[in-house]
Amino acid sequence: GQQVQQSPASLVLQEGENAELQCNFSSTATQLQWFYQSPGGSLVSLLSNPSGTKHTGRLTSTTVTKERRSSLHISSSQTTDSGTYLCAISASNTNKVVFGTGTRLQVLP
Amino acid sequence: NSKVIQTPRYLVKGQGQKAKMRCIPEKGHPVVFWYQQNKNNEFKFLINFQNQEVLQQIDMTEKRFSAECPSNSPCSLEIQSSEAGDSALYLCASSLRGDTQYFGPGTRLLVL
């Protein structure tokens, strides 16, 4: 089945630094979504980006579909960015979504 | 921001007891998903619906779990006989077309 691998598993930054998160997947994805999960568990959709580059606020996602990878860039990190970032994919022949195990980000003041 | 509502937020059950959780999808979203997230942050797809019909479900759901999405009522996921290994965060998501999913806050189940 589809697999999604995220790196790094954890990341510690000082406030103001940039973060680069990676997502690699094993088979063709027609939908790719980045989520933020707060320490309390709530999931928030950040970006849907099956291909190309998308920006929202301080976030930029670049997905290269042919190479089966996506990145999430967080610029000028803030302490409130701390949490887990999850990458999830689905393929056109299924409504199932497969999640990676996430990158745990900690931003220090 | 997601408008998916899940209740209860926390659920504590003894082994062998039934555990039922509910989900109200975003208005107009016909597709509903249930996931289980364990303490290692791993997500497991359980079941999804389009309107009231089951689209896909995994074996675990077929045996001890039951789920439904009746019209004009909340969707529900019920574990018939809870086991310690069922302790997890149960997340409901809804979608317009099955692509972008919007998640509720989850129900955290603890089976003692």
Side-chain angles (χ1 to χ4, degrees):
Chain A
Q2 290 172 332
Q3 290 186 337
V4 180
Q5 290 172 327
Q6 289 188 244
S7 60
S10 63
L11 186 58
V12 181
L13 299 174
Q14 289 296 134
E15 198 167 26
E17 290 183 324
N18 299 331
E20 187 83 14
L21 284 57
Q22 303 292 336
C23 174
N24 292 276
F25 40 98
S26 61
S27 55
T28 305
T30 52
Q31 181 57 243
L32 185 142
Q33 207 167 342
W34 283 95
F35 293 91
Y36 166 76
Q37 188 170 34
S38 68
S42 300
L43 266 178
V44 174
S45 176
L46 298 173
L47 285 163
S48 287
N49 186 26
S51 66
T53 299
K54 280 194 177 179
H55 305 275
T56 180
R58 294 181 293 108
L59 304 176
T60 302
S61 171
T62 299
T63 299
V64 183
T65 314
K66 269 194 258 187
E67 296 178 16
R68 297 180 183 168
R69 60 179 174 85
S70 181
S71 64
L72 180 70
H73 182 87
I74 307 172
S75 61
S76 305
S77 61
Q78 300 173 0
T79 56
T80 50
D81 294 334
S82 297
T84 301
Y85 290 79
L86 294 153
C87 171
I89 64 161
S90 62
S92 60
N93 62 348
T94 174
N95 275 328
K96 283 191 210 177
V97 173
V98 178
F99 284 82
T101 51
T103 293
R104 197 179 298 267
L105 175 66
Q106 187 181 6
V107 181
L108 304 173
Chain B
N1 284 334
S2 173
K3 298 178 181 64
V4 176
I5 299 170
Q6 284 189 253
T7 56
R9 292 296 306 275
Y10 300 93
L11 193 54
V12 181
K13 294 290 178 181
Q15 293 196 46
Q17 289 186 318
K18 285 188 182 181
K20 188 168 186 174
M21 51 206 90
R22 293 175 176 81
C23 171
I24 300 175
E26 283 207 30
K27 193 175 180 180
H29 283 190
V31 186
V32 174
F33 300 78
W34 284 99
Y35 298 90
Q36 179 196 62
Q37 186 185 25
N38 65 21
K39 60 182 179 183
N40 296 321
N41 240 12
E42 294 158 337
F43 281 78
K44 184 185 285 183
F45 166 85
L46 297 177
I47 191 168
N48 62 347
F49 292 85
Q50 175 131 5
N51 296 313
Q52 290 81 54
E53 290 192 20
V54 175
L55 292 175
Q56 290 160 316
Q57 60 184 332
I58 64 165
D59 283 347
M60 182 175 82
T61 316
E62 289 168 4
K63 289 172 186 169
R64 290 189 304 110
F65 289 57
S66 62
E68 60 177 3
C69 268
S71 64
N72 300 318
S73 291
C75 297
S76 63
L77 177 69
E78 185 170 34
I79 306 172
Q80 301 304 319
S81 178
S82 302
E83 298 174 359
D86 296 331
S87 296
L89 181 68
Y90 289 83
L91 289 157
C92 173
S94 74
S95 177
L96 190 55
R97 288 178 294 272
D99 44 16
T100 303
Q101 296 185 27
Y102 298 90
F103 282 79
T107 292
R108 193 169 291 279
L109 172 65
L110 176 62
V111 182
L112 302 174

